[in-house]
Amino acid sequence: MRALFTVCKRLSEKAFVGPSPIPSWVPRRPRSAGGVPACNPAARRLVFSPLSEVLEKLRGQVEVRENFISEEEERALLRELEPGLKKKRYEFDHWDDAIHGYRETERLRWGPECEAVLERIRSAAFPQGSQLLGPVHVLDLDQKGYIKAHIDSVKFCGSTIAGVSLLSDSVMRLVSEDKVEHWADLLLLRRSLYIIRDRARYKFTHEVLKDEDSFFLGERIPRERRISVICRNLPT
Ligand code: OGA
Ligand code: MN
């Protein structure tokens, strides 16, 4: 599996074209199963692009659901993951790697509480009967760690990537492969779920910004150590 994640991660780094000074707000997608109610007037915007055509292109292919898991569920995941992760060292020195300052693992069998969370992620992200990658990918980013722009391997990973963020808020940036000025930022709050699928997954790179670049709509989003729990489907 290690080889899979190695190839899953890396590719096509892109120069970043900075945020436009004229922000526009993106309507929130309503939440469904597992999230908090859809009609929450105080809800924060979680996806932003200055270009409406980019939002149009990403419509239905990018979702961020705030509070997808509870604090108790986050603790349960951490209880299960920490012992294994702590035995590994963060890797910083692979200059050609898409990820900087990370350790990772994969996990096939989970305790019942975690399994229930994973099942919720799967039913939110994948159509019923999808063939999923068996082991769940767990990526632990150090406070100084970050993920450079890349597209997951099309050979090993299917059309959809779904991840829950633990321990820290962060900003994920999508940049069009064809036009670097076509970009969108996702605010990934701690305990939220993101889903990227189809064109958003194949035609846009994704990256997780390093602490000093971590802003969403001009607001500083401090990056602490962050663990993501990522489910993927298999290519068809
Ligand atoms: C990856 C990746 C995103 C995340 O491992 O390929 O893009 O949320 N991870 O950690
Ligand atoms: Mn990726």
Side-chain angles (χ1 to χ4, degrees):
M1 278 320 280
R2 173 132 192 118
L4 165 67
F5 295 138
T6 309
V7 279
C8 254
K9 274 176 226 157
R10 336 317 149 182
L11 318 175
S12 81
E13 281 191 35
K14 287 260 165 183
F16 164 59
V17 179
S20 146
I22 313 156
S24 71
W25 291 85
V26 184
R28 282 288 292 281
R29 294 174 52 76
R31 299 190 195 98
S32 54
V36 288
C39 295
N40 175 1
R44 287 169 86 173
R45 317 281 160 168
L46 301 176
V47 180
F48 165 75
S49 173
L51 296 177
S52 52
E53 67 183 293
V54 175
L55 296 173
E56 199 47 49
K57 259 204 240 177
L58 295 175
R59 187 202 292 274
Q61 302 177 26
V62 171
E63 268 181 70
V64 185
R65 298 192 192 180
E66 199 174 341
N67 286 315
F68 188 78
I69 64 169
S70 67
E71 289 178 17
E72 179 47 40
E73 289 169 328
E74 180 185 44
R75 279 193 292 273
L77 288 164
L78 291 169
R79 265 197 307 275
E80 220 167 301
L81 293 171
E82 281 285 30
L85 288 171
K86 281 201 172 127
K87 291 187 193 136
K88 303 182 181 216
R89 275 205 319 230
Y90 288 108
E91 301 193 27
F92 282 96
D93 38 8
H94 295 222
W95 61 270
D96 58 342
D97 213 333
I99 308 186
H100 182 81
Y102 72 101
R103 49 194 183 184
E104 66 187 336
T105 188
E106 76 251 1
R107 199 175 182 90
L108 192 54
R109 303 260 164 255
W110 299 76
E113 194 178 355
C114 296
E115 190 53 49
V117 173
L118 291 166
E119 214 29 65
R120 250 188 21 247
I121 298 175
R122 293 180 189 117
S123 57
F126 305 99
Q128 266 211 332
S130 301
Q131 293 258 51
L132 302 188
L133 210 78
V136 173
H137 181 195
V138 176
L139 183 66
D140 177 352
L141 277 185
D142 178 76
Q143 190 271 330
K144 295 203 171 337
Y146 56 94
I147 306 179
K148 299 176 201 168
H150 69 281
I151 292 176
D152 285 17
S153 159
V154 295
K155 198 164 163 201
F156 296 97
C157 312
S159 60
T160 303
I161 303 163
V164 160
S165 305
L166 313 180
L167 294 175
S168 177
D169 302 339
S170 61
V171 178
M172 178 178 274
R173 177 162 296 147
L174 304 187
V175 181
S176 164
E177 279 241 286
D178 304 328
K179 287 201 182 108
V180 288
E181 64 276 22
H182 282 193
W183 58 272
D185 280 352
L186 278 46
L187 177 58
L188 304 183
L189 296 171
R190 178 178 185 175
R191 291 183 282 101
S192 68
L193 170 74
Y194 70 85
I195 303 168
I196 52 183
R197 55 165 71 93
D198 302 332
R199 278 198 312 277
R201 173 263 189 271
Y202 292 114
K203 300 288 187 194
F204 286 73
T205 60
H206 57 273
E207 61 197 289
V208 172
L209 304 184
K210 61 174 84 160
D211 181 46
E212 58 261 45
D213 299 335
S214 192
F215 288 85
F216 183 78
L217 281 164
E219 184 193 345
R220 172 97 175 102
I221 308 296
R223 253 290 319 286
E224 315 288 339
R225 176 187 175 208
R226 168 183 184 268
I227 296 178
S228 48
V229 175
I230 306 162
C231 298
R232 296 181 170 93
N233 56 358
L234 291 169
T236 47

